């Protein structure tokens, strides 16, 4: 039925949301670790900058995806 399908979509979206949250948390932890390492380096953080920028960009993209999924899940719960 249609409500069953909506429920399954909501469940799948919720699971993906949790996965993305876990990935975002891991990226933030990795970013923090890189920042600490950068401060410890005698030569400064320049050598870690490209990797740091990439992590920040990935984190930003994940946050946008999480927000979109959260909205989608809310819509499915309301309409379902």
């Amino acid at each position: 039925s249609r409500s069953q399908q909506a429920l399954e979509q909501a469940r799948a979206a919720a699971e993906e949301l949790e996965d993305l949250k876990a990935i975002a948390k891991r990226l933030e932890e990795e970013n923090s670790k890189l920042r600490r390492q950068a401060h410890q380096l005698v030569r400064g953080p320049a050598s870690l900058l490209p990797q740091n920028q990439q992590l920040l960009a990935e984190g930003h993209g994940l946050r946008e995806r999480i927000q979109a999924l959260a909205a989608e899940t809310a819509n499915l719960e309301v309409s379902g």
Side-chain angles (χ1 to χ4, degrees):
S1 71
R2 203 169 141 191
S3 62
Q4 179 70 26
Q5 190 178 10
L7 187 63
E8 286 173 10
Q9 284 179 326
R11 193 174 294 130
E15 284 176 16
E16 189 177 352
L17 181 59
E18 288 307 309
D19 289 345
L20 286 170
K21 282 181 180 176
I23 292 168
K25 188 175 191 296
R26 183 181 54 76
L27 282 171
E28 284 174 12
E29 288 168 357
E30 185 70 20
N31 195 20
S32 295
K33 190 173 77 174
L34 282 171
R35 286 178 187 275
R36 284 194 302 274
Q37 288 174 354
H39 287 294
Q40 290 167 359
L41 287 175
V42 179
R43 286 175 287 178
S47 61
L48 290 175
L49 201 57
Q51 192 175 359
N52 217 358
Q53 294 288 357
Q54 182 185 347
L55 283 170
L56 288 170
E58 284 178 27
H60 181 69
L62 276 171
R63 274 191 292 278
E64 288 180 347
R65 182 73 178 127
I66 287 169
Q67 287 170 351
L69 270 172
E72 188 180 317
T73 303
N75 288 341
L76 285 168
E77 286 171 359
V78 170
S79 62

